Amino acid sequence: MTAYDVVGIGNALVDVITDIEDGFLGSNDLPKGSMNLVELDRSNALYEQLPPTHEVSGGSCGNTMAGIAALGGKGAYIGKVRDDQFGQVFRHDIRSIGVTFDTPYSTDGMATGKCLVLVSPDAERTMCTYLGAANMLTEADVDEKLIQASKVVYMEGYLFDREDAKRAFVKAAEAAHAGGVTKVSLSLSDSFCVDRHRESFRHLVENHIDILFANEDELLSLYQVEDFDEAIKLVSGHCELACVTRGAKGSVLISADETVTVPADPVEKVVDTTGAGDQYAAGVLFGLTQGHDLATCGRIGSMMGGEVISHYGARIEADVKAHLPGLVG
C-alpha cells in the first residue's frame, strides 16, 4: 500500500513577498514587471532594503504540492536547501501545510534559493530570483524508497538545466518503474526550458514519462510543429497521458483510450496567472490518485487553476475541498 499520493521533485525556493513603492524599483534598476535571475550578493542587498515580508515555501513544484495538500491529498517533497535561515523557513513552511519534507540540508556550497516578489501599488509583480542550493539537486538526493511509496512522482522541468538534475530525474523514474506501482509525471514548466533542452526532454518523455503536463506553447515547442492537433498525435504515442492547458480555451487530456476537452473555469476577473499551471497539475494529480476518470480530473484541475488566477500569489486561498463534491459526484 502506498503511503503518499504524490512525491514532488523541484526547485526548493523561498518566496519572499512584500509591497514596495515604485521608487524602490527605480533606485535599484529593476524594470517593473520583470523577472530577473540574480546572484546571492544582489539578492541579499535587495532583501536588506525590503519592508516587512511574507516568506513561504515556493517554486513551481512546491506550489503544486501545496495545492495537493489543500485538496486533502497526502504529499511529500524532494528538494535542496542549505542549513541557513531560508532553508529553515522552507522546511518549516512546507511541513506546516502537511507535506513531508525530509531531504537533508546541504551543509556547504550555495545558500538556499529565494525569489523576491516585489508588489507595486498598482499590483504589478517584479521578481528577483536566486536559485542557489535549489539548483544543486543530485542523484544522491533522490529517495528511492519514498518514490516507491507514492502513487505518482511529479518532476519540475525548471530543475532540468544541470546534468546532475537530469541524472536525478532518470534515477527517480527508474526507481518508480522498478517498484511497479508509481507513475512518473513531468511538467515541461516553460517553453524556454523546452527550447534549451528539447532533445533531452524528448528522450525523457519517450522513455520514462507516464503523465506529461504542458501548456500549448510548450507542447508545440517540444515537437517543433505549429499545429496543435499534430502535436497531440505525436505526444499520444509517447506517454500514457498528456494534460495540455490552453489558457481561456481550457485543457485537453489525451490517453490511448480517449481525448477529453475540459473548459476553463469561469473567473470574474483574472488577477494574476502565476501558479495557474502548477495548480492545474495539482488538481489533475489529486483526481488521478483518488481514482477519478479523466473528465473529473480535468474539472478539478480547471477549478484549481481558476481559483489561483483570481487573486495574487501562487497558493490556493479558497476552501477548495468544499468544491470537490460538486466535481466528483
Side-chain angles (χ1 to χ4, degrees), residues 5 13 22 28 44 57 78 88 98 145 148 150 166 185 197 215 226 242 255 294 327:
D5 294 315
L13 303 174
D22 286 340
N28 285 284
N44 286 344
S57 54
I78 296 171
Q88 293 167 10
K145 291 183 179 179
Q148 292 175 356
S150 306
K166 293 176 184 178
S185 62
H197 307 294
N215 65 29
E226 296 182 1
S255 72
L294 288 190
L327 295 172

Side-chain angles (χ1 to χ4, degrees), residues 6-177:
V6 181
V7 55
I9 304 177
N11 271 329
L13 303 174
V14 174
D15 286 342
V16 179
I17 307 166
T18 189
D19 295 319
I20 49 90
E21 298 297 327
D22 286 340
F24 180 91
L25 301 178
S27 63
N28 285 284
D29 297 320
L30 294 170
K32 184 185 287 190
S34 61
M35 298 180 68
N36 309 274
L37 282 177
V38 298
E39 297 299 327
L40 179 59
D41 288 349
R42 171 75 160 153
S43 177
N44 286 344
L46 289 169
Y47 180 75
E48 290 300 322
Q49 300 176 54
L50 297 180
T53 62
H54 178 55
E55 299 173 357
V56 297
S57 54
S60 175
C61 182
N63 295 332
T64 296
M65 298 313 302
I68 289 168
L71 286 164
K74 189 166 179 58
Y77 185 83
I78 296 171
K80 202 75 169 176
V81 296
R82 180 72 192 270
D83 58 343
D84 55 18
Q85 171 194 347
F86 286 105
Q88 293 167 10
V89 168
F90 187 96
R91 187 178 297 278
H92 175 270
D93 184 69
I94 199 166
R95 285 177 167 179
S96 73
I97 60 174
V99 177
T100 297
F101 177 53
D102 294 326
T103 307
Y105 285 119
S106 173
T107 56
D108 56 20
M110 304 178 82
T112 297
K114 61 181 181 291
C115 178
L116 309 182
V117 183
L118 313 176
V119 184
S120 301
D122 62 359
E124 185 75 57
R125 292 153 60 92
T126 303
M127 300 185 189
C128 297
T129 302
Y130 165 68
L131 292 172
N135 212 26
M136 296 293 112
L137 190 88
T138 70
E139 293 174 90
D141 299 305
V142 175
D143 185 336
E144 295 176 278
K145 291 183 179 179
L146 177 63
I147 287 170
Q148 292 175 356
S150 306
K151 296 175 185 176
V152 177
V153 56
Y154 174 73
M155 304 186 294
E156 173 188 336
Y158 279 126
L159 191 60
F160 208 60
D161 272 322
R162 296 179 62 255
E163 291 301 318
D164 280 345
K166 293 176 184 178
R167 288 191 289 269
F169 276 26
V170 171
K171 179 181 178 180
E174 290 178 343
H177 289 146

